């Protein structure tokens, strides 16, 4: 099992409370419908250690079976609306795959 880390900011017109409601009502339940990803943990970054704004406001850590599996599953037509909705609500998304080495 790999890990996917997704970091992103909100689109300028996206309200934080509305987005976090969307995470609870739409994004989180979506993980029950896929085999390639599970157990997301959501973080909202507050500031860097230097007390500056973080480069990304949101970070999600997700258990994943691997990049190709995720790409194959999420490219299905049933996910087009979800992906478009996420992309409209967010900016600057970075997707990183990782393997746990300690812990």
């Amino acid at each position: 099992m790999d890990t996917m880390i997704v970091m992103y900011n909100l689109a300028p017109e996206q309200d934080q409370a509305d987005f976090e409601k969307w995470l609870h009502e739409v994004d989180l339940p979506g993980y029950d419908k896929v085999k390639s990803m599970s157990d997301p943990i959501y973080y909202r970054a507050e500031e860097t250690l230097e007390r500056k704004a973080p480069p990304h406001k949101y970070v999600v850590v997700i258990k994943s079976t691997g990049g190709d599996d995720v790409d194959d599953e999420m490219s299905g037509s049933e996910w087009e609306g979800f992906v478009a909705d996420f992309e409209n609500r967010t900016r600057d998304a970075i997707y990183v795959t990782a393997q746990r080495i300690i812990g």
Side-chain angles (χ1 to χ4, degrees), residues 25-67:
E25 294 177 356
V26 178
D27 192 60
L28 186 59
Y31 287 93
D32 293 335
K33 300 174 184 176
V34 295
K35 296 177 185 174
S36 61
M37 297 179 286
S38 65
D39 304 316
I41 300 173
Y42 299 85
Y43 299 91
R44 182 184 338 109
E46 299 299 327
E47 64 184 12
T48 67
L49 292 178
E50 298 79 19
R51 301 198 184 277
K52 296 181 180 177
H56 294 91
K57 187 72 172 175
Y58 289 88
V59 178
V60 185
V61 179
I62 308 160
K63 288 183 183 177
S64 167
T65 59

Side-chain angles (χ1 to χ4, degrees), residues 1-97:
M1 179 75 56
D2 288 339
T3 300
M4 178 177 291
I5 302 165
V6 184
M7 299 169 280
Y8 53 89
N9 292 306
L10 295 182
E13 64 278 1
Q14 177 62 61
D15 175 73
Q16 178 176 307
D18 178 59
F19 179 73
E20 292 180 8
K21 181 179 177 186
W22 181 87
L23 288 176
H24 284 281
E25 294 177 356
V26 178
D27 192 60
L28 186 59
Y31 287 93
D32 293 335
K33 300 174 184 176
V34 295
K35 296 177 185 174
S36 61
M37 297 179 286
S38 65
D39 304 316
I41 300 173
Y42 299 85
Y43 299 91
R44 182 184 338 109
E46 299 299 327
E47 64 184 12
T48 67
L49 292 178
E50 298 79 19
R51 301 198 184 277
K52 296 181 180 177
H56 294 91
K57 187 72 172 175
Y58 289 88
V59 178
V60 185
V61 179
I62 308 160
K63 288 183 183 177
S64 167
T65 59
D68 288 341
D69 291 342
V70 173
D71 286 345
D72 290 345
E73 197 163 42
M74 295 306 292
S75 65
S77 60
E78 67 274 18
W79 292 103
E80 286 177 10
F82 171 82
V83 171
D85 194 14
F86 177 79
E87 290 175 349
N88 285 333
R89 293 172 179 271
T90 64
R91 296 291 181 271
D92 312 317
I94 296 176
Y95 299 83
V96 178
T97 58

